[in-house]
Amino acid sequence: MWDYTDKVLELFYDPKNQGTIEDNHEPGVKVSVGDVGSISCGDALRLHLKVEEATDKILDARFQTFGCTSAIASSSALTEMVKGLTLDEALKVTNKEIADYLGGLPEAKMHCSVMGQEALEAAIYNYRGIPLEAHDDDDEGVLICSCFGITDAKIKKAVRHNNLFSAEQVTNYVKAGGGCGSCLAKIDDIIKEVKQEYEKEIASTNSVPANTKDSTLGQQKPLTNVQRIALIQKVLDEEVRPVLIADGGDVELYDIEGDKIKVILKGACGSCSSSTATLKVAIESRLRDRISKDIIVEAV
Amino acid sequence: MLKNCIYLDNNATTKVDPQVIEAMLPYLSDYYANPSSMHTFGGQLAKDVKKARENVAALLGAEESEIIFTSCGTEGDNAAIKAALLAQPEKRHIITSQVEHPAVLNVCKLLETQGYQVTYLSVNSKGQIDLNELEAALTGNTALVTVMYANNETGTIFPIEEIGARVKEYGAIFHVDAVQAVGKVPLNMKTSTIDMLTISGHKIHAPKGIGALYVRRGVRFRPFLIGGHQERGRRGGTENVPGIIALGKAAELELLNLQEATKREIKLRDRLEKALLEKIPDCEVNGDVKNRLPNTSNIGFKYIEGEAILLLLNKHGICASSGSACTSGSLEPSHVLRAMGLPYTTLHGSIRFSLCRYTTEEEVDQVIAVMPEIVEKLRALSPFKNDDAGWLKQQEQTLVNR
């Protein structure tokens, strides 16, 4: 039997916020749904968010979960955690925070917390009208685990965000390798690759270690403000702007307040109807990957 | 420690019968000699071991000399497979089924890496093999056919003698893992086609750590555990005398109770099954209901997940088992239920109730009383409510396309 904490059992036996949120077309309020998982894998979560449009504040959150004890408890915990947050604040909730809220999960069950974080992201992107394929890393990567349909992109993300160092851990977090096991060697290679990429990033920032409190592959000292600004500018110049310029747009760094990064979208990007997607997918997610997952990008 | 639970997980292990404990206790204290020793003390224990061997042989309809004591079912399976292959080094083909216990499946997988060819027979939706598929797989190169008598998860009983008859035509050795069947169905090795048969003590109210392997007289046997002359040179290692005495007593009791217990278990099992199917919509029995162990009921409760069901049952003091991924320690659901091709909507929510001669009507009624509420609670949480739900349809389509 799994060794569950009292909090896991409490939220399993008496889950909070279960059910759906009906869209009653209330003025100023929008309901959004995020689906993740699948019945074939044995875990699926549908997260419902009720959002106040003027403030982006989550007024209510409910869940429907097909899954085990920890999946149900993680879903319930997630809804408790995000109620009252703005969408940008909610996007910062990590799977680790969900697990921490529960007093921890058995490591083999960490994928339940990852599922919660993914459902939250899916619901928020859905609310913002960003199509699934625009933010779903899975569609971009190479299929590694055919048993569970997991790509290298998803594995890399899990390795980076959770500082994973073994294929077994990857299995616990995203299920990859948990079926026939034939992809375990490939997962080992991906872990190695992520670590090498990370070391390269550090080297490319003039030996200035890339962050900080959440860039977890390493034990470097936190960046100074000057180093952080320089790194943000470098990522924008080298990785973001070339892509935008190719599409007739551009971006300029305007200001930095803590984790909030203000930018000016220029050219085609400034007038584009998909500018939210550009901000979140092209700029924010890149800066999160490279510098800190707490970063929020806003256009001024 | 939970002691007074409703224990419906007897295919996992069984309670040790008080009479078995009583029989073995003196061998943990006063009768401690080595039965191989040449003094009277040891000699007396050798006689007691012989008596236990006779009891086990009687349960199987075998001769005393055909019984080798082992440490568990896994050892029995491993020993039988290895012995069969060593006896026929020129043959390199093995036949088994996709639904075997890991003690057989994983040995076969290892043998594949050592140059053996293994045929894994498929099963139908009831968990039954196709005899034509077996026939087509058999060749003169087949050294061994190893299949289970009855499946541990569904209780489905294979047509053992029909399988054996075909195996004999090709001159292969026939091993049967009867860990789940022994004590639940009558066995008679004298009239059987089986060459080797594995049993395990803790499935028949003896303690863990003792088992036996039947080896038909004349079948060449190379020892798996190589050591001293114990078990007539066929299994080295000082005998586990308390375990052997316990297994002997358990076998004696099983033989005594077999008919009556079978009738009782079938009655209780059917009562449980009928009531759950009546009271709970969208559930079905997994396995071959016509050819099944008397004590086993595997029911798939659609749209919900097995571990969650087990935990809620556990809250009511009820012990059962599930084929869901979350209970297996791996991320894959039961290989048995998957081989049967069960839909995912049913597969993950399958629960095995396995009874024994101690199971009471009141206990069964208690399960009947709480299960509908448990299923309803979890279905209220589930995003999958029926087969027509949009998301579910979408998921199935994704699987087809993958």
Side-chain angles (χ1 to χ4, degrees), chain B residues 45-92:
Chain B
L45 264 66
K47 283 181 189 168
D48 295 343
V49 166
K50 184 173 185 297
K51 174 67 187 155
R53 202 184 301 275
E54 285 168 1
N55 285 343
V56 174
L59 179 63
L60 304 182
E63 291 175 25
E64 183 229 329
S65 61
E66 294 174 315
I67 304 299
I68 301 169
F69 288 116
T70 61
S71 62
C72 58
T74 296
E75 186 194 323
D77 287 342
N78 275 252
I81 293 169
K82 188 180 173 191
L85 298 181
L86 284 175
Q88 312 160 90
E90 72 287 358
K91 294 182 177 179
R92 307 291 287 175

Side-chain angles (χ1 to χ4, degrees), chain B residues 88-107:
Chain B
Q88 312 160 90
E90 72 287 358
K91 294 182 177 179
R92 307 291 287 175
H93 178 226
I94 302 161
I95 298 176
T96 186
S97 85
Q98 292 176 359
V99 297
E100 296 303 308
H101 189 275
V104 167
L105 271 185
N106 288 338
V107 177

Side-chain angles (χ1 to χ4, degrees), chain B residues 309-330:
Chain B
I309 301 173
L310 287 187
L311 212 71
L312 290 174
L313 278 170
N314 189 63
K315 205 179 175 193
H316 291 279
I318 297 165
C319 305
S321 184
S322 169
S324 83
C326 285
T327 57
S328 65
S330 84

Side-chain angles (χ1 to χ4, degrees), chain A residues 69-82:
Chain A
T69 305
S70 52
I72 290 169
S74 294
S75 308
S76 187
L78 171 69
T79 53
E80 283 290 276
M81 290 167 74
V82 300

Side-chain angles (χ1 to χ4, degrees), chain A residues 5-291:
Chain A
T5 64
D6 289 344
K7 188 68 179 173
V8 170
L9 293 175
E10 179 197 320
L11 286 180
F12 169 68
Y13 289 132
D14 188 15
K16 293 184 169 57
N17 311 314
Q18 71 178 82
T20 61
I21 299 175
E22 297 304 323
D23 191 350
N24 297 323
H25 305 290
E26 252 179 89
V29 169
K30 199 171 159 186
V31 171
S32 183
V33 174
D35 292 335
V36 291
S38 76
I39 199 158
S40 62
C41 294
D43 287 313
L45 165 58
R46 172 169 280 177
L47 179 70
H48 303 250
L49 297 180
K50 185 176 179 180
V51 182
E52 189 174 58
E53 288 182 289
T55 60
D56 260 7
K57 195 174 170 186
I58 298 172
L59 301 175
D60 196 8
R62 293 186 177 274
F63 75 93
Q64 292 172 285
T65 297
F66 168 85
C68 61
T69 305
S70 52
I72 290 169
S74 294
S75 308
S76 187
L78 171 69
T79 53
E80 283 290 276
M81 290 167 74
V82 300
K83 273 202 279 188
L85 299 183
T86 65
L87 296 182
D88 283 339
E89 286 168 340
L91 272 174
K92 289 196 284 186
V93 171
T94 64
N95 72 287
K96 188 176 179 306
E97 285 167 342
I98 296 170
D100 288 346
Y101 183 94
L102 293 166
L105 283 170
E107 188 160 87
K109 295 285 192 171
M110 282 302 285
H111 59 265
C112 296
S113 66
V114 173
M115 185 169 72
Q117 197 272 332
E118 287 177 346
L120 178 62
E121 209 169 72
I124 293 175
Y125 276 82
N126 197 17
Y127 174 87
R128 288 179 167 165
I130 300 170
L132 185 67
E133 57 271 20
H135 64 84
D136 190 351
D137 290 341
D138 278 14
D139 287 345
E140 295 169 11
V142 177
L143 187 69
I144 299 295
C145 173
S146 50
C147 296
F148 290 106
I150 312 286
T151 64
D152 61 343
K154 187 164 181 173
I155 293 169
K156 281 181 182 176
K157 190 174 165 187
V159 170
R160 277 184 171 274
H161 288 184
N162 295 287
N163 193 20
L164 308 181
F165 54 83
S166 69
E168 188 187 9
Q169 283 185 308
V170 169
T171 301
N172 290 335
Y173 277 72
V174 294
K175 290 194 168 186
C180 68
S182 62
C183 61
L184 289 169
K186 284 184 195 163
I187 296 173
D188 281 333
D189 292 343
I190 291 171
I191 294 169
K192 206 171 156 189
E193 194 186 320
V194 171
K195 287 187 186 301
Q196 281 169 350
E197 278 172 15
Y198 183 75
E199 281 158 13
K200 216 181 279 176
E201 279 166 26
I202 292 171
S204 74
T205 54
N206 299 322
S207 304
V208 175
N211 206 6
T212 100
K213 53 189 174 187
D214 66 326
S215 214
T216 46
L217 292 171
Q219 301 298 321
Q220 293 75 23
K221 287 179 188 170
L223 296 172
T224 66
N225 282 336
V226 175
Q227 288 169 336
R228 186 175 164 83
I229 292 165
L231 186 57
I232 291 167
Q233 188 65 63
K234 184 178 169 63
V235 173
L236 285 177
D237 286 344
E238 292 180 4
E239 297 181 43
V240 178
R241 291 187 63 216
V243 179
L244 301 185
I245 290 167
D247 287 331
D250 201 355
V251 66
E252 183 185 319
L253 181 63
Y254 179 71
D255 197 7
I256 298 174
E257 292 173 10
D259 286 327
K260 199 177 283 182
I261 296 172
K262 295 180 178 178
V263 297
I264 301 168
L265 293 172
K266 292 179 156 184
C269 292
S271 55
C272 177
S273 59
S274 303
S275 60
T276 308
T278 306
L279 271 181
K280 295 298 164 192
V281 179
I283 307 175
E284 184 178 276
S285 66
R286 183 57 59 103
L287 290 171
R288 284 181 170 198
D289 275 348
R290 293 289 181 267
I291 299 159

